[in-house]
Amino acid sequence: MLIRTGYDITFETLAPTPMSFLLNVHPSRQMDLRSPETIRIDPQVPQRQSLDAFGNVVTRILAPAGRIALSADFLVDDSGRPDPVVPDAHQIPIHELPDDVMPFLLGSRYCDTDRLCATAWQLFGHTPEGWARVQAIVDYVHARIRFDYQLADATRTAFDGYTQQVGVCRDFAHLAIAFCRCMNVPARYCTGYLGDIGVPAVPDPMDFSAWFEVYLDGRWYTFDARHNTPRIGRIVMARGRDATDCAISTSFGSARLVQFEVHTDEVTEPSAARLDRAA
């Protein structure tokens, strides 16, 4: 399967403003690129890329005063298979976990495990360890939170999502991650592209999506508490402890978002060939 994806994002600044972005496909998926994922910036400014502590590609610029637009349009090869489901994947004892996995057991900015630990054990302490326990958490969070794009809140934590019972995809992910960590299952936050591929299209504007991964049986598995069903065509851009580590844009000064469009769609080979030639 080929997926055509990209974005058009515009900011307005009052003065020269340092900004950083996590807009590239994650290095683990860059081998699947079928055309360059060049970030086009208008007006053109120097950009510098590096990897952050979580292996995400960071792009840094100094945005001039006024409007600055960032865009990309590229092709990604995908297996076309839904997220794996492995019901017999077992939970690894903490003392046997790799050192680089341990941070994903700890509380973080948006995953306030200290406020949810007692609740987690009351809700899930009776469930079997491993995949079944994670799925029980996903089922609960999926039913607990009502999706409402109009009520997005950049300061909402996992505990807030639990009490307010409303949020967007990042809030589903934060609450599920926090519950998993409370139950000693390493969990990390993911953001990226997820189009309406293999499912009925929804009328809402396309956005970047958030989901999470858990560490079972020596590898990371994908779960999605908002949709609660295996999906086709996930393209991860960034991973981290929570949304703090995976912010698509960070400005060190005033930068008002004035345009935000994301596209991700399955394409046919003739369409892909036209895009290849354009690139």
Side-chain angles (χ1 to χ4, degrees):
M1 171 184 293
L2 284 175
I3 299 174
R4 183 175 185 174
T5 192
Y7 51 83
D8 289 276
I9 306 173
T10 303
F11 296 91
E12 189 169 68
T13 63
L14 299 176
T17 304
M19 301 185 72
S20 64
F21 304 95
L22 298 177
L23 287 170
N24 287 83
V25 170
H26 191 270
S28 62
R29 291 299 306 270
Q30 287 183 352
M31 67 183 70
D32 297 324
L33 292 173
R34 282 281 302 272
S35 64
E37 57 162 348
T38 305
I39 300 177
R40 296 184 292 273
I41 303 178
D42 183 23
Q44 293 185 9
V45 296
Q47 53 179 290
R48 184 167 83 251
Q49 289 191 335
S50 62
L51 296 181
D52 66 13
F54 299 96
N56 306 314
V57 179
V58 182
T59 301
R60 295 175 57 186
I61 67 169
L62 178 62
R67 291 203 171 192
I68 186 163
L70 299 95
S71 63
D73 186 29
F74 54 95
L75 290 170
V76 181
D77 195 14
D78 190 79
S79 69
R81 295 189 295 269
D83 304 321
V85 177
V86 187
D88 60 349
H90 73 279
Q91 187 169 330
I92 297 177
I94 293 176
H95 67 279
E96 296 180 8
L97 289 170
D99 292 340
D100 61 348
V101 173
M102 291 297 292
F104 300 104
L105 281 176
L106 306 178
S108 56
R109 164 68 178 86
Y110 290 105
C111 299
D112 38 357
T113 53
D114 54 336
R115 306 179 72 186
L116 288 164
C117 196
T119 300
W121 280 96
Q122 290 172 3
L123 291 171
F124 310 112
H126 66 283
T127 59
E129 290 188 349
W131 190 280
R133 176 165 288 176
V134 176
Q135 186 59 57
I137 290 171
V138 170
D139 291 342
Y140 178 87
V141 172
H142 180 75
R144 177 80 180 183
I145 297 180
R146 175 177 60 85
F147 183 87
D148 191 331
Y149 194 78
Q150 300 304 314
L151 294 178
D153 183 348
T155 66
R156 183 182 288 126
T157 68
F159 181 78
D160 295 334
Y162 172 74
T163 55
Q164 296 170 11
Q165 300 184 53
V166 68
V168 292
C169 54
R170 62 179 258 162
D171 301 303
F172 287 82
H174 284 150
L175 182 54
I177 289 169
F179 277 149
C180 285
R181 292 177 184 173
C182 289
M183 304 305 296
N184 298 325
V185 179
R188 65 187 183 186
Y189 183 95
C190 303
T191 190
Y193 297 96
L194 180 62
D196 298 325
I197 299 173
V199 298
V202 296
D204 304 321
M206 185 64 65
D207 196 351
F208 295 117
S209 188
W211 60 89
F212 72 107
E213 296 173 344
V214 301
Y215 193 79
L216 298 172
D217 255 348
R219 58 158 288 185
W220 292 98
Y221 288 99
T222 296
F223 285 85
D224 186 335
R226 179 195 168 187
H227 297 104
N228 198 15
T229 188
R231 293 289 295 269
I232 297 170
R234 289 186 201 275
I235 304 171
V236 65
M237 298 166 69
R239 297 185 175 104
R241 294 165 298 185
D242 57 30
T244 303
D245 300 324
C246 300
I248 295 300
S249 67
T250 302
S251 62
F252 300 89
S254 176
R256 185 172 66 92
L257 182 65
V258 295
Q259 180 191 14
F260 183 84
E261 297 177 6
V262 176
H263 61 272
T264 176
D265 302 285
E266 182 182 2
V267 296
T268 60
E269 287 289 347
S271 298
R274 286 195 296 271
L275 181 57
D276 278 331
R277 286 195 295 271

